[in-house]
Amino acid sequence: MLKREEAKSIISSLNMPVAQQSDLCCYTLLAMSSMSEQSKWANARNDWIRIHDIMQFIYTIYGVRYAENSRETFRKQAIHHFRNAAIIEDNGKATNSPNYRYKITDEFLLILKNYGNDYWHAMISDFIKNHSSLIEIYASKKKMTRMPVRINGNEFSFSSGKHNQLQKLILEEFAPRFAPFSECLYVGDTAEKDLFKNIEKLKQLGFMITLHDKMPDVILYRQDKNWIYFIEAVTSVGAMESKRIVEIDDMTKEVIAGKIYVTAFLDFKTFKSFSESLAWETEVWIANMPEHMIHLNGDKFLGPR
């Protein structure tokens, strides 16, 4: 039997839907267990692996090429369902991190290593019987990697990663100092784009924005001043450059509140790498110097203190 057919037999035994028994899903399982056509299941492995590596393995070992833009297809058709079935787990990194990886769980690796043995079917039955508890175990492991954050007095959580770490600092360190009495109207998450979104309030203020990928990372509103803060959390891309200001202005033509544009950085080193591209008349906040801000140009703050 071909390894692809054996992989299909394994996936089928887990009562996975027919869509998850496709060639793509079978090859994904083979890649994640490092199985070539000549390999024995007893030698299956569960090294951490990226989707790019899975695709490369499939092409190198089985001669099947998938286009680089197929990564989302792998994620939706195979990875997502395998993770829900508790046969793989991720390393808890942010989904946009270059270090984000997956691996076969230790429990399921043992099953793979015993494929074809007399007691293999009994092992599969036990795995399915314990399926719910396994899902809870791996869901708990993932939850442990998340960062708690308070938004408008309520508890939420961010997925891990520098970008979300900075967003947490914006909400908990920047806002009390430089936007007191403000409320958060929008904040995204690297794993969940619209983590918090007060659609009703945004509409009241005149927002016409519908696409979350155009939204600034954090939007705060201070009612007593009628000020709105558009804040970009920058760790690698997305600073308040002139082009970005034009985009936000275009999306908020009907907003009459005073607009404040802020670029937030984790440290001064990151700020320096972006300093030449930042738009004039914007603000800079650096998280490891939370008591201070930098105002770019203008006579607004000029004069002795």
Side-chain angles (χ1 to χ4, degrees), residues 13-29:
S13 70
L14 295 169
N15 301 322
M16 296 285 280
V18 174
Q20 276 60 64
Q21 299 176 36
S22 66
D23 286 354
L24 182 147
C25 295
C26 293
Y27 284 129
T28 297
L29 181 62

Side-chain angles (χ1 to χ4, degrees), residues 152-202:
N152 299 340
N154 298 312
E155 293 292 338
F156 291 83
S157 64
F158 282 136
S159 54
S160 60
K162 285 186 176 182
H163 183 84
N164 284 340
Q165 178 189 351
L166 180 52
Q167 292 197 136
K168 176 180 169 70
L169 291 170
I170 290 169
L171 292 168
E172 298 180 351
E173 299 292 336
F174 169 85
R177 289 182 170 92
F178 299 103
F181 315 113
S182 64
E183 63 175 310
C184 179
L185 301 184
Y186 175 85
V187 62
D189 177 83
T190 51
E192 184 182 348
K193 294 297 183 183
D194 292 340
L195 177 66
F196 180 83
K197 189 175 185 178
N198 188 336
I199 296 176
E200 183 177 343
K201 188 68 174 182
L202 289 168

Side-chain angles (χ1 to χ4, degrees), residues 137-148 157-158:
I137 289 170
Y138 288 103
S140 296
K141 287 175 67 176
K142 189 172 181 62
K143 187 175 182 180
M144 287 174 63
T145 67
R146 296 183 67 86
M147 297 180 288
S157 64
F158 282 136

Side-chain angles (χ1 to χ4, degrees), residues 49-58 68 71 74-75 102:
I49 190 170
R50 302 172 300 170
I51 292 179
H52 171 80
D53 301 324
I54 291 172
M55 295 166 63
Q56 190 61 46
F57 182 96
I58 295 170
E68 190 63 28
R71 281 181 293 181
F74 274 81
R75 187 176 289 109
Y102 307 90

